[in-house]
Amino acid sequence: MVPVSRAFFARPAASVAQDLIGTILLVDGIGGLIVETEAYDHEDPASHSYAGRTARNASMFGPPGHAYVYRSYGLHWCLNFVSGVEPLGSAVLIRALQPMIGIEAMQLRRGVTAPKLLCGGPGRLSEALGVTGALDGHPLDEAPFLVLARERDVPVVCGPRIGISRATEMPWRFGLQGSAFLSRRFPDRAVPHAPARGRRCPSP
DNA sequence: CCCAAGATTGGCT
DNA sequence: GCCAATCTTGGGA
């Protein structure tokens, strides 16, 4: 398997989010298959970058291919991959993994054993992989990160994003169709979606 | 300065 | 299904 290039992230966030489904994310050798992502960009009222650059979101305005890690509700860490092209301010939130490598370590960090509860949700995923604010701004092609490109296309669905109150109509949540490791099910309306060369997810 | 809201989660009714 | 935990940010007084 081949690591993804930095150029992979220098595209619109929704494209990156879609193409990340089925790739493998490891942090210090622990991780699994990315099964759920969400895209955010600078024109998006739900995005941290919408109001411009602040101390918290500075990484979103840095070069693509780096991590943006922020604290959610003062409690949980959430991992994003900085993406997009000028004028920047885009990122992809990694919402769920199918655990594959280092499951025992994840269980220890999480304090639970059920596989679906290890990495099903952005806060859980960060805890299981040991991601904290210390990794904010860190390059994704350098240790401890390893992002491995998928070798085959996978069936992807898209739908509305979760946990936001603005721009809820934008279908910028992507998931591995049929995966048992999603943080939540997609609505039945969710559009089956061909990755890579397939059609784009409908824009608002 | 004060305060409400938030890209969440886990526990309890 | 409802709510608390916990703290940064942004908007209003």
Side-chain angles (χ1 to χ4, degrees):
Chain A
M1 303 216 7
V2 182
V4 299
S5 64
R6 287 196 188 188
F8 177 90
F9 299 99
R11 298 180 291 138
S15 297
V16 176
Q18 163 189 329
D19 290 340
L20 279 170
I21 302 300
T23 66
I24 287 177
L25 165 65
L26 302 178
V27 180
D28 273 326
I30 293 170
L33 195 73
I34 295 179
V35 299
E36 184 181 339
T37 60
E38 284 178 357
Y40 293 86
D41 74 23
H42 72 108
E43 293 182 318
D44 173 4
S47 173
H48 290 168
S49 59
Y50 185 64
R53 183 178 179 135
T54 66
R56 175 178 67 162
N57 67 19
S59 295
M60 285 187 84
F61 292 91
H66 292 239
Y68 165 47
V69 182
Y70 71 92
R71 197 145 27 197
S72 176
Y73 286 87
L75 296 166
H76 312 288
W77 295 106
C78 293
L79 172 64
N80 295 252
F81 293 169
V82 176
S83 301
V85 293
E86 298 291 339
L88 304 183
S90 298
V92 175
L93 174 67
I94 312 301
R95 286 195 57 93
L97 297 188
Q98 174 176 341
M100 294 177 68
I101 302 175
I103 291 179
E104 278 191 20
M106 296 187 210
Q107 290 171 326
L108 280 173
R109 286 168 172 162
R110 291 276 300 115
V112 297
T113 56
K116 290 181 182 180
L117 294 179
L118 293 179
C119 299
R124 292 167 172 167
L125 181 158
S126 292
E127 186 173 43
L129 270 53
V131 172
T132 70
L135 287 173
D136 183 43
H138 198 86
L140 297 172
D141 58 1
E142 292 180 14
F145 289 118
L146 185 57
V147 184
L148 298 171
R150 65 182 179 215
E151 295 172 325
R152 299 176 185 78
D153 279 357
V154 295
V156 175
V157 294
C158 67
R161 294 173 294 182
I162 290 179
I164 57 172
S165 61
R166 294 183 287 184
T168 54
E169 74 286 354
M170 296 168 89
W172 281 4
R173 175 181 178 228
F174 300 88
L176 178 63
Q177 187 172 49
S179 173
F181 296 92
L182 300 173
S183 67
R184 272 179 51 181
R185 299 196 64 108
F186 277 77
D188 294 334
R189 315 288 282 277
V191 185
H193 195 273
R197 286 175 296 284
R199 58 206 147 88
R200 302 291 285 271
C201 214
S203 287

